Amino acid sequence: MIQRMMSAIEFAEQRAELPDAGQWAELIRGVPVVLQPPDLDHGTIILNLSKALATYVQSQSQGYACFDLGLQVEHKPDTVFFPAICYFKTGLRFAEYDNDFTLNVPELVVELVTTSDRRQNINERTRLYIDRGTRAVWIVDSVNRHVHVVEKGNPAAKRVVESETLKGNPILDGFEIAVKNLFKDPDWVQ
């Protein structure tokens, strides 16, 4: 059966009809694709990074983070990715929160490669984010326990290992988190 191509708007309207209510679905060149549900490491990383980002954002006069916001990175056919975190430095604070997806370009995208399908196309995803104007992409690798930092204008990714500190400069000026703390189980797990 041939599936008809969808626009980003049609996808947003029909996403809830997909398996798992579309929670793990993306639109790739007009075709809905359902990704593998993430593992527990995915949730742990999101929890730890979101707490650190919340502390950082509260201390700043601008910028905000969005979680699981769709980013339209291609048009006709449309592609909408749902990275773990997007950080917007400009615009009205929290302006994107009620949107299913946006055409606005975040300063920073955080991707988690916690399943094989998320790992498979990460280079293309990163290239599309950077080509659209995103200044940096952090790729958190839960298997190897490090973060790849890809910056616009710098083709070589920088790897920040578990014993090092991930720094947000210049986008998140003053933000720091020990990479090992991204993978730390929450206190209530013990």
Side-chain angles (χ1 to χ4, degrees):
M1 180 171 129
I2 298 176
Q3 189 171 12
R4 127 184 133 71
M5 302 275 281
M6 294 179 134
S7 69
I9 292 171
E10 291 169 324
F11 175 70
E13 291 170 350
Q14 297 174 33
R15 187 173 181 217
E17 297 168 22
L18 294 168
D20 293 324
Q23 184 174 5
W24 315 119
E26 297 185 326
L27 186 67
I28 311 294
R29 296 187 178 92
V31 178
V33 174
V34 178
L35 301 173
Q36 299 167 356
D39 60 14
L40 292 177
D41 288 340
H42 190 102
T44 297
I45 295 164
I46 291 292
L47 174 68
N48 293 331
L49 192 49
S50 65
K51 286 171 35 179
L53 281 171
T55 300
Y56 174 80
V57 167
Q58 289 172 359
S59 71
Q60 302 300 306
S61 60
Q62 65 178 7
Y64 60 96
C66 287
F67 300 86
D68 293 318
L69 172 68
L71 297 179
Q72 185 171 349
V73 295
E74 292 181 313
H75 185 65
K76 292 187 179 179
D78 294 354
T79 295
V80 179
F81 294 141
F82 287 82
I85 302 171
C86 302
Y87 183 81
F88 294 89
K89 199 165 184 173
T90 60
L92 294 175
R93 203 166 218 192
F94 310 111
E96 300 291 349
Y97 267 39
D98 292 330
N99 296 334
D100 294 318
F101 71 94
T102 186
L103 294 170
N104 292 329
V105 178
E107 296 285 318
L108 171 69
V109 167
V110 180
E111 281 280 3
L112 305 179
V113 288
T114 54
T115 59
S116 61
D117 53 359
R118 286 174 174 79
R119 187 176 293 281
Q120 283 176 341
N121 66 357
I122 195 63
N123 291 335
E124 180 182 12
R125 294 170 77 91
T126 301
R127 180 189 58 78
L128 288 168
Y129 294 136
I130 297 291
D131 287 353
R132 288 257 313 136
T134 298
R135 290 177 52 198
V137 179
W138 293 352
I139 304 163
V140 182
D141 185 333
S142 63
V143 173
N144 298 304
R145 298 174 78 87
H146 61 247
V147 179
H148 287 280
V149 177
V150 181
E151 296 175 325
K152 188 175 187 81
N154 186 0
K158 174 184 164 191
R159 186 173 68 164
V160 186
V161 298
E162 192 171 12
S163 62
E164 297 177 323
T165 299
L166 177 64
K167 297 181 181 185
N169 296 341
I171 298 166
L172 302 173
D173 192 34
F175 176 85
E176 292 185 0
I177 186 169
V179 172
K180 68 181 178 186
N181 289 343
L182 293 174
F183 308 104
K184 183 180 175 190
D185 285 333
D187 294 336
W188 52 263
V189 169
Q190 301 164 22

